[in-house]
């Protein structure tokens, strides 16, 4: 389809949002839109919003207002998690169109329809007047401008939204200039952690068919991608009939020819001996595992409504270290959860240190209206939350350095991505299977090449073997 429309997209939030934004861009391109940077003038702006925290809500609103200021006559579309909430309207955001989760597959159709409506109105005005109006926006039909396309997704019968991408028919696909691609396989969450708004705006857990996952990965491998990252809102709940996440990983390893398969996040209770044993038998699996912990205190974990104990978490970490050689274990931690006593914090910090994480993403607790935790007694002052987060961030730095140092003098397999010129030398950077960044000097073209490297004493630099 040919048209002269220009579209600009901006993504906020997680890897799932980023994946969906790339798919929405592909849909617009397939419909004839020319995609331009968000900083440029466009006929339609698409903001894929996030609602994980109150700060994310604010950033979503800011980007919508920025688009409106950039071109007052443009169609401004707000999609995703923040606008899934029923209290959010086009009028409250000064946008033209709201597209909720599980309606994103209609983006190109809805954007084109609204732009076509605008064109017809302007043509009518031109036929009745001597020139274009100074304020094109004034000639929009207000009823047609303000549209909401969202529905209640909190149903067990909700189907997985497949975002069409004709790149499977020979296009360049996502992230064509890069070596790693994300593939979304699951959406929604049934866990209802007390601090989290996501189950309310993403709906119940639902999974993509294994056949469609395999087809997309085969297409990406055919385009030259060496590494795929499986992503989802609650990846561990993936299920296609009787097949779970481990069954899907085995199919990917067996059927796609993929060199590297990385799993973005796991719930601790899925990490059983059978799961880890089967995972360790797959040549493509990267020994880099993100297990979401949130707190090292069992009493805090219980208040969070997390479905495990520190003992179960430690057992899972032990299994990963038993079946894999020096795997990278990463996690998320919330500091200063409501009611967290000094004793709970100290106990939790000790557990975190015991786990010896490669990376630990630390967040001070952020009160999220609409969640049970927001109403809990014992809300800690911001100063306390920030101080505790600072302590954990310092610990995270120490553990990360210790893990990197454990690779000194050892050989690792590195997938190189890019280079920069330093002092007349070409310095390439890439990631090991454990997701440790490595730098080497080479005048050869290493982009998208997997090379054996021996770490030097800095455990961030290496020499090609």
């Amino acid at each position: 389809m040919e048209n002269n429309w220009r579209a600009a997209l901006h993504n906020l939030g997680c890897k799932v949002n980023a994946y969906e934004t790339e798919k929405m861009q592909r849909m617009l391109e397939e419909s004839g839109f020319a995609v331009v940077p968000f900083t440029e003038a466009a006929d339609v702006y698409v903001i894929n919003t996030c609602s994980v925290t109150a700060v994310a809500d604010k950033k979503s609103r800011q980007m919508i207002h920025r688009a409106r200021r950039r071109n007052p006559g443009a169609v401004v579309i707000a999609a995703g998690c923040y606008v899934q909430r029923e209290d959010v309207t086009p009028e409250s955001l000064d946008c033209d169109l709201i597209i909720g989760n599980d309606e994103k597959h209609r983006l190109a159709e809805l954007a084109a329809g609204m732009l076509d409506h605008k064109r017809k109105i302007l043509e009518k005005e031109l036929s009745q007047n001597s020139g274009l109006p100074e304020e094109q926006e004034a000639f929009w039909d207000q009823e047609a401008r303000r549209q909401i396309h969202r529905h209640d997704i909190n149903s067990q019968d909700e189907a997985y939204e497949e975002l069409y991408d004709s790149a499977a028919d020979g296009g360049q696909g996502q992230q064509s200039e890069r070596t790693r691609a994300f593939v979304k396989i699951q959406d929604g969450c049934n866990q209802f952690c007390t601090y989290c708004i996501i189950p309310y705006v993403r709906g119940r857990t639902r999974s993509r068919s294994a056949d469609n996952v395999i087809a997309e990965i085969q297409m990406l491998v055919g385009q030259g991608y060496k590494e795929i990252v499986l992503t989802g809102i609650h990846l561990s709940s993936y299920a296609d009939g009787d097949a779970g996440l481990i069954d899907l990983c085995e199919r990917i390893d067996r059927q796609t020819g993929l060199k590297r398969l990385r799993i973005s996040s796991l719930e601790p209770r899925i990490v059983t001996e059978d799961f880890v044993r089967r995972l360790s038998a797959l040549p493509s699996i990267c020994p880099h595992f993100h297990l979401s912990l949130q707190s090292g205190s069992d009493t805090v974990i219980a208040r969070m409504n997390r479905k495990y104990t520190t003992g179960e978490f430690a057992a899972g970490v032990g299994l990963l270290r038993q079946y894999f050689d020096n795997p990278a274990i990463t996690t998320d931690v919330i500091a200063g959860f409501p009611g967290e006593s000094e004793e709970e914090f100290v106990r939790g910090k000790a557990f975190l240190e015991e786990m010896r994480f490669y990376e630990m993403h630390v967040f001070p607790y952020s009160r999220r209206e609409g969640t049970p935790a927001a109403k809990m007694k014992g809300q800690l002052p911001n100063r306390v939350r920030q101080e505790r987060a600072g302590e954990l961030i310092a610990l995270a730095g120490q553990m990360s350095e210790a893990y990197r140092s454990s690779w000194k003098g050892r050989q690792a397999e590195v997938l190189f991505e890019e280079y920069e010129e330093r002092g007349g030398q070409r310095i390439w950077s890439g990631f090991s299977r454990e997701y440790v960044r490595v730098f080497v000097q080479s005048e050869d073209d290493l982009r998208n090449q997997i090379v054996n490297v021996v770490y030097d004493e800095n455990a961030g630099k290496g020499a090609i073997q």
Side-chain angles (χ1 to χ4, degrees):
M1 183 186 301
E2 294 293 334
N3 60 56
N4 296 317
W5 293 327
R6 292 156 58 92
L9 300 93
H10 183 81
N11 181 71
L12 293 139
C14 63
K15 292 181 177 67
V16 171
N17 261 23
Y19 173 90
E20 292 172 346
T21 300
E22 287 186 0
K23 291 296 186 181
M24 288 192 287
Q25 176 174 327
R26 287 289 302 167
M27 288 187 285
L28 289 170
E29 290 171 339
E30 288 294 321
S31 296
F33 287 81
V35 174
V36 299
F38 196 78
T39 53
E40 294 186 10
D43 300 291
V44 58
Y45 292 91
V46 181
I47 298 91
N48 198 13
T49 64
C50 177
S51 194
V52 69
T53 65
V55 172
D57 286 355
K58 182 179 179 180
K59 288 182 178 178
S60 297
R61 292 191 296 269
Q62 288 174 338
M63 294 311 299
I64 293 165
H65 295 155
R66 188 173 299 175
R68 177 63 73 204
R69 290 195 303 271
R70 191 156 288 142
N71 183 1
V75 172
V76 178
I77 300 175
C81 291
Y82 175 54
V83 298
Q84 182 63 40
R85 294 166 34 182
E86 291 185 2
D87 61 328
V88 177
T89 65
E91 289 77 13
S92 68
L93 294 179
D94 191 22
C95 69
D96 303 302
L97 176 61
I98 280 177
I99 299 178
N101 286 322
D102 279 13
E103 294 285 343
K104 294 171 182 173
H105 64 283
R106 299 184 60 198
L107 170 67
E109 164 206 344
L110 294 171
M114 188 163 279
L115 284 167
D116 191 54
H117 175 77
K118 174 186 176 182
R119 178 182 57 79
K120 290 177 180 177
I121 290 176
L122 292 176
E123 286 177 352
K124 179 180 178 181
E125 293 299 326
L126 281 170
S127 69
Q128 298 174 355
N129 298 280
S130 59
L132 284 168
E134 292 184 6
E135 293 289 341
Q136 291 185 17
E137 185 181 8
F139 290 85
W140 279 73
D141 177 85
Q142 293 300 310
E143 182 177 351
R145 281 192 61 202
R146 308 294 193 182
Q147 295 184 20
I148 298 177
H149 293 271
R150 68 181 172 212
H151 65 274
D152 182 4
I153 60 174
N154 291 286
S155 167
Q156 292 287 0
D157 297 325
E158 186 75 11
Y160 180 88
E161 181 186 32
E162 191 70 55
L163 297 179
Y164 173 73
D165 187 346
S166 69
D169 298 321
Q172 289 301 304
Q174 59 168 320
Q175 304 177 6
S176 59
E177 77 284 6
R178 299 175 63 183
T179 59
R180 182 184 308 109
F182 293 91
V183 172
K184 178 186 169 188
I185 67 169
Q186 182 275 339
D187 207 340
C189 183
N190 297 347
Q191 300 303 297
F192 289 94
C193 300
T194 56
Y195 55 82
C196 186
I197 199 72
I198 296 304
Y200 304 95
V201 296
R202 279 282 180 176
R204 303 290 67 73
T205 187
R206 49 208 184 275
S207 300
R208 189 179 184 187
S209 79
D211 288 344
N212 286 356
V213 175
I214 296 295
E216 182 173 3
I217 293 177
Q218 287 175 331
M219 177 265 293
L220 291 167
V221 170
Q223 293 173 2
Y225 285 88
K226 298 287 200 307
E227 181 174 310
I228 299 296
V229 184
L230 299 183
T231 189
I233 298 299
H234 190 258
L235 205 60
S236 296
S237 65
Y238 176 86
D240 182 12
D242 294 331
L245 180 61
I246 185 61
D247 302 293
L248 177 64
C249 290
E250 289 174 335
R251 278 195 64 183
I252 293 169
D253 185 87
R254 186 171 64 249
Q255 297 179 10
T256 66
L258 180 67
K259 296 294 184 183
R260 287 185 171 189
L261 178 62
R262 201 177 294 276
I263 303 173
S264 63
S265 182
L266 293 171
E267 282 294 309
R269 294 187 73 175
I270 197 177
V271 187
T272 63
E273 182 154 15
D274 178 70
F275 180 89
V276 178
R277 177 182 54 78
R278 292 169 66 182
L279 207 62
S280 67
L282 306 181
S284 64
I285 283 291
C286 292
H288 167 219
F289 305 103
H290 185 89
L291 276 65
S292 187
L293 176 61
Q294 305 304 350
S295 174
S297 164
D298 282 323
T299 47
V300 174
I301 288 173
R303 290 202 296 278
M304 291 177 168
N305 195 34
R306 303 286 289 172
K307 311 297 193 298
Y308 52 81
T309 65
T310 55
E312 290 172 318
F313 187 96
V317 170
L319 285 169
L320 291 169
R321 287 177 172 150
Q322 176 185 338
Y323 280 87
F324 292 91
D325 178 25
N326 201 23
I329 311 293
T330 64
T331 198
D332 297 319
V333 178
I334 295 173
F337 190 75
E340 183 184 66
S341 66
E342 182 67 25
E343 180 183 356
E344 287 174 324
F345 173 71
V346 171
R347 187 186 310 121
K349 182 180 177 182
F351 179 78
L352 298 174
E353 192 168 8
E354 180 185 337
M355 289 298 97
R356 297 178 285 115
F357 294 110
Y358 161 43
E359 287 183 338
M360 188 166 70
H361 308 295
V362 179
F363 308 91
Y365 170 72
S366 176
R367 193 171 188 171
R368 192 71 184 83
E369 294 302 326
T371 64
K375 301 176 182 178
M376 286 182 176
K377 296 179 180 179
Q379 301 285 332
L380 300 181
N382 182 59
R383 174 185 57 80
V384 174
R385 286 178 275 147
Q386 294 292 340
E387 287 176 355
R388 291 181 179 178
E391 282 192 45
L392 297 186
I393 290 171
L395 173 61
Q398 296 166 11
M399 291 191 293
S400 182
E401 177 60 28
Y403 180 77
R404 293 170 191 274
S405 295
S406 72
W407 281 96
K408 291 178 182 178
R410 297 186 60 180
Q411 181 173 288
E413 186 186 86
V414 177
L415 174 59
F416 286 99
E417 298 184 347
E418 58 189 0
Y419 73 89
E420 60 180 283
E421 296 289 342
R422 297 183 192 170
Q425 293 185 325
R426 180 177 290 186
I427 306 298
W428 287 90
S429 66
F431 288 91
S432 70
R433 293 169 67 87
E434 294 76 19
Y435 209 65
V436 175
R437 184 182 284 276
V438 182
F439 297 89
V440 301
Q441 188 278 321
S442 176
E443 296 306 313
D444 295 333
D445 186 357
L446 300 182
R447 191 185 306 277
N448 207 23
Q449 299 298 313
I450 296 176
V451 181
N452 288 328
V453 172
V454 172
Y455 290 92
D456 70 9
E457 66 277 4
N458 294 316
K461 297 181 181 178
I464 296 174
Q465 294 300 290

